[in-house]
């Protein structure tokens, strides 16, 4: 019976280790450890210009490093607060180990709006929208080799991306 007890004890230890390992890796969502797109060949001139998304967000990245933004949501968990910021700021294209990133900083807030889905059931305990804010847009390429900018938002386990594409010429 001594051999059976050791086998049971070993099985119990293995079971505990598996539960611990599962709990430690269970929170590692799709982008929790996101390391970038691997794009290193974009230029600031290529990133400059107008950008938009399907939610009515517009960004103008000017060649002089200034930026205008309209109705830009917060990234990561700030998205869940439901505010949308408009104003002026600065931008720069940086190259990190994992790929290039457009760093956009709102320095002068001109307007705050709420997303419709949040405004209907606005929670008074939500924090005040920030007067300044910074976003980090990953730089990627579409199937036609054009640039695409995106950041992650919401719960990291879900892996939502907020995608900006070139604004339509008017």
């Amino acid at each position: 019976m001594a051999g059976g007890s050791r086998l049971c004890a070993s099985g119990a230890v293995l079971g505990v280790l598996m539960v611990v390992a599962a709990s430690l890796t269970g929170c590692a969502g799709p982008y929790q450890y996101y390391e970038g797109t691997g794009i290193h060949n974009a230029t600031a001139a290529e990133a400059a210009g107008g950008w938009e998304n399907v939610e009515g967000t517009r960004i103008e990245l000017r060649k002089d490093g200034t930026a205008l933004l309209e109705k830009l949501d917060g990234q990561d968990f700030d998205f869940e607060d439901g505010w949308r910021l408009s104003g002026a700021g600065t931008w720069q294209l940086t190259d990190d180990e994992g790929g290039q990133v457009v760093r956009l900083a709102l320095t002068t807030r001109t307007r705050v709006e709420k997303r419709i889905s949040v405004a209907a059931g606005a929670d008074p305990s939500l924090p005040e929208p920030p007067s300044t804010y910074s976003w980090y847009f990953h730089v990627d390429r579409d199937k036609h080799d054009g640039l695409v900018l995106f950041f992650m938002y919401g719960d990291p386990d879900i892996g939502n991306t907020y995608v900006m594409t070139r604004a339509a010429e008017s």
Side-chain angles (χ1 to χ4, degrees), residues 1 6 19-20 35 41 57-58 65 74 93 126 142-143 146 148 167:
M1 271 326 243
R6 271 188 255 133
V19 168
V20 169
E35 294 186 19
N41 63 353
T57 299
R58 297 189 52 81
L93 177 67
L126 289 175
D142 63 19
K143 61 183 175 182
V148 175

Side-chain angles (χ1 to χ4, degrees), residues 39-51 61-63 91 93 100 102 139-142 144-149 165-167:
I39 301 294
H40 296 282
N41 63 353
T43 64
E46 189 179 14
W51 296 89
L61 303 178
R62 296 177 172 166
K63 291 181 182 181
W91 74 279
L93 177 67
Q100 289 175 297
V102 169
V139 175
D140 203 359
R141 294 211 178 264
D142 63 19
H144 303 291
D145 207 33
L147 288 188
V148 175
L149 305 178
T165 58
R166 279 289 172 196

Side-chain angles (χ1 to χ4, degrees), residues 13-63:
V13 169
L14 182 59
V16 168
L17 289 175
M18 289 176 65
V19 168
V20 169
S23 67
L24 290 175
T25 60
C27 294
Y31 72 84
Q32 188 166 357
Y33 301 108
Y34 186 72
E35 294 186 19
T37 61
I39 301 294
H40 296 282
N41 63 353
T43 64
E46 189 179 14
W51 296 89
E52 62 188 5
N53 85 359
V54 297
E55 298 294 323
T57 299
R58 297 189 52 81
I59 299 173
E60 180 70 30
L61 303 178
R62 296 177 172 166
K63 291 181 182 181

Side-chain angles (χ1 to χ4, degrees), residues 30-161:
Y31 72 84
Q32 188 166 357
Y33 301 108
Y34 186 72
E35 294 186 19
T37 61
I39 301 294
H40 296 282
N41 63 353
T43 64
E46 189 179 14
W51 296 89
E52 62 188 5
N53 85 359
V54 297
E55 298 294 323
T57 299
R58 297 189 52 81
I59 299 173
E60 180 70 30
L61 303 178
R62 296 177 172 166
K63 291 181 182 181
D64 66 359
T66 61
L68 295 175
L69 51 120
E70 185 178 339
K71 300 179 183 178
L72 187 54
D73 296 285
Q75 70 182 76
D76 298 324
F77 282 110
D78 291 339
F79 182 84
E80 295 172 2
D81 291 341
W83 46 256
R84 307 186 87 199
L85 302 177
S86 297
T90 61
W91 74 279
Q92 65 179 1
L93 177 67
T94 63
D95 197 351
D96 296 331
E97 186 177 321
Q100 289 175 297
V101 175
V102 169
R103 298 178 190 279
L104 175 63
L106 173 71
T107 56
T108 305
R109 185 180 83 183
T110 58
R111 190 170 69 242
V112 175
E113 296 176 37
K114 291 282 186 181
R115 277 193 317 280
I116 294 170
S117 61
V118 174
D123 181 351
S125 68
L126 289 175
E128 178 68 25
S131 56
T132 62
Y133 194 80
S134 294
W135 293 264
Y136 301 94
F137 287 90
H138 297 282
V139 175
D140 203 359
R141 294 211 178 264
D142 63 19
K143 61 183 175 182
H144 303 291
D145 207 33
L147 288 188
V148 175
L149 305 178
F150 70 94
F151 62 76
M152 310 296 189
Y153 71 91
D155 185 335
D157 293 328
I158 296 172
N160 293 319
T161 55

